[in-house]
Amino acid sequence: MTAKIAINGYGTIGKRVALAVKAQKDMKVVGVVKTRPTFEAWTAVENGFKLYTPSKSVAAMEEAGLAVAGTQEELIEEADLVVDATPGKIGDEMAALYRSLGKKAIFQGGEEHELCGTSFNAYSNYSEALGKDLVRVVSCNTTGLARTLYPLWEAGYVRGVLATMVRRAADPGDSKKGPINAIEPSLKVPSHHGPDVQTVIPGLPISTVAVKVPTTLMHLHSVAVELKKNVKPETIIDRWSPLRRIMLIDGSKGLPSTAQVMEMARDMGRPFSDLWEIAVWRDGVHVKDGVLYYFQAVHQESDVIPENVDCIRAMLQMETDPQRSIDETDRRMGVGVRRR
Ligand code: NAD
């Protein structure tokens, strides 16, 4: 079976999921939805995707010279599953549409957990999504925390976690958000990230705080883990090393900041210069007085992309074994090909 996937919303996340699905052998993109005739509508067509639009936007698209294959509803009807990559907080409206057309759908981290009742991270809870109708792939920050914390939690090392999120102010293609010359703390403690991690790692004792800074490249996390056992940094690194979605990097080898990490990603020549892996500074992993400290960088635009592909396989029960899905996704996309 080749699963037919619709991409509803072709922005930062939608265009990346579309290419990742296209790279797989067991699923294909039947079309993408754009609401306005922007440059992304043109690149969608140039990338070989059929363009669909809400019925009220058909005329505007055609006037701009774009070939419209049909309406949003027609695309959803044709698909086995919809990846919803519309902007956050219109999930209720979209979920009602998918339900009325009897379709499964994946939502993104801008929606609340309660919209779907199931949140997803491939390493920590793939099996929970098996056969489900609505599932939410957690946000970029939550994905980053889940990727590195789950292997430690599974090994029984974790007594408690305090993670500080230094968040990028906006994506590189976004000129509306800020701050551009300020550091803005989230005055709510814990920030929403801690409870969000618990939706994919139930029971993990985690608290999070967050500050927004004027950068667009990546988020940076400073994580402190109170350990149950006296574990050496090398043992922690050995838990992460086999995992392709974690990239161990060294500040001492020319990667002291997110600037060089993203320069390395650009050098790697991937689509959109993405870094799907969570970059963890090997030389920043320390254990002092029973507390593990580490730093990780999260490419917010792309770390959730492989998770969307795995979530499709789980929801359509195309693969019940998490590792086999992860292996297939990674192989087709090229995740983890460079280990440092
Ligand atoms: P975006 O604004 O880049 O793209 C959203 C797209 O949806 C746009 O192309 C927009 O035209 C389209 N759209 C708007 N209304 C629509 C509708 N009614 N029907 C169909 N399409 C519609 O947003 P994004 O950054 O890709 O975010 C999408 C989701 O992914 C959000 O939930 C967000 O929180 C989440 N997310 C974003 C990032 C990130 O860093 N950008 C990371 C992880 C998760």
Side-chain angles (χ1 to χ4, degrees):
M1 162 195 171
T2 304
K4 293 185 281 180
I5 309 301
I7 310 290
N8 190 30
Y10 192 79
T12 307
I13 298 298
K15 63 187 173 187
R16 288 172 164 82
V17 175
L19 275 197
V21 168
K22 194 178 176 185
Q24 309 300 310
K25 285 280 175 263
D26 53 353
M27 56 186 82
K28 66 175 183 186
V29 177
V30 285
V32 306
V33 175
K34 273 297 298 171
T35 47
R36 289 177 299 127
T38 60
F39 71 95
E40 278 164 331
W42 290 98
T43 46
V45 174
E46 284 157 17
N47 282 330
F49 299 122
K50 283 193 193 165
L51 192 63
Y52 291 76
T53 196
S55 38
K56 63 177 186 214
S57 309
V58 172
M61 291 289 201
E62 289 182 342
E63 269 166 36
L66 287 154
V68 176
T71 65
Q72 187 174 37
E73 282 79 6
E74 285 167 345
L75 173 62
I76 295 166
E77 273 170 11
E78 197 189 329
D80 297 316
L81 181 148
V82 184
V83 176
D84 183 293
T86 59
K89 314 300 178 212
I90 60 169
D92 285 336
E93 182 194 326
M94 288 297 152
L97 177 63
Y98 307 141
R99 281 204 187 94
S100 72
L101 297 172
K103 297 297 173 180
K104 290 178 185 277
I106 295 176
F107 284 90
Q108 308 301 319
E111 303 297 339
E112 303 291 333
H113 169 75
E114 289 66 31
L115 177 70
C116 304
T118 305
S119 291
F120 183 86
N121 172 263
Y123 283 170
S124 68
N125 73 337
Y126 181 98
S127 303
E128 257 192 71
L130 287 173
K132 292 270 167 70
D133 288 337
L134 295 182
V135 178
R136 164 184 169 264
V137 168
V138 290
S139 72
C140 46
N141 277 306
T142 305
T143 296
L145 289 171
R147 285 233 186 110
T148 52
L149 287 170
Y150 184 70
L152 310 183
W153 175 244
E154 198 186 20
Y157 296 161
V158 180
R159 192 185 301 283
V161 181
L162 172 60
T164 303
M165 243 85 29
V166 182
R167 299 174 57 199
R168 63 93 178 92
D171 286 335
D174 183 355
S175 58
K176 287 189 187 145
K177 292 188 191 147
I180 58 168
N181 186 24
I183 299 173
E184 186 182 306
S186 161
L187 300 178
K188 190 172 156 258
V189 174
S191 65
H192 69 272
H193 309 92
D196 206 33
V197 175
Q198 290 164 334
T199 66
V200 291
I201 313 180
L204 180 77
I206 180 168
S207 191
T208 49
V209 293
V211 292
K212 235 195 269 177
V213 296
T215 182
T216 63
L217 296 176
M218 302 184 96
H219 302 297
L220 186 136
H221 298 169
S222 164
V223 188
V225 181
E226 193 188 344
L227 295 168
K228 275 191 185 162
K229 302 178 183 173
N230 193 15
V231 187
K232 291 197 168 86
E234 300 75 46
T235 311
I236 302 289
I237 289 168
D238 285 348
R239 296 285 311 174
W240 288 329
S241 292
L243 302 173
R244 285 183 300 268
R245 295 184 187 178
I246 295 173
M247 182 183 279
L248 292 161
I249 58 168
D250 294 282
S252 61
K253 292 184 185 160
L255 295 164
S257 82
T258 56
Q260 293 80 18
V261 173
M262 284 315 293
E263 184 66 10
M264 173 187 74
R266 285 190 284 270
D267 286 358
M268 287 162 75
R270 289 173 169 182
F272 309 104
S273 305
D274 282 344
L275 192 71
W276 303 299
E277 302 86 350
I278 304 304
V280 180
W281 276 277
R282 192 179 353 229
D283 39 3
V285 180
H286 302 280
V287 177
K288 295 258 184 275
D289 302 326
V291 179
L292 161 71
Y293 298 90
Y294 66 94
F295 299 93
Q296 62 182 26
V298 173
H299 186 223
Q300 74 279 356
E301 298 172 284
S302 74
D303 67 327
V304 300
I305 306 306
E307 311 299 321
N308 273 269
V309 176
D310 291 323
C311 194
I312 292 171
R313 283 206 190 88
M315 290 170 70
L316 292 174
Q317 292 183 290
M318 296 159 67
E319 179 55 75
T320 52
D321 179 348
Q323 195 55 52
R324 286 224 293 266
S325 176
I326 290 166
D327 289 347
E328 180 66 4
T329 304
D330 291 354
R331 182 165 52 243
R332 301 278 170 208
M333 287 179 69
V335 176
V337 289
R338 178 176 306 186
R339 316 309 312 277
R340 280 163 187 275

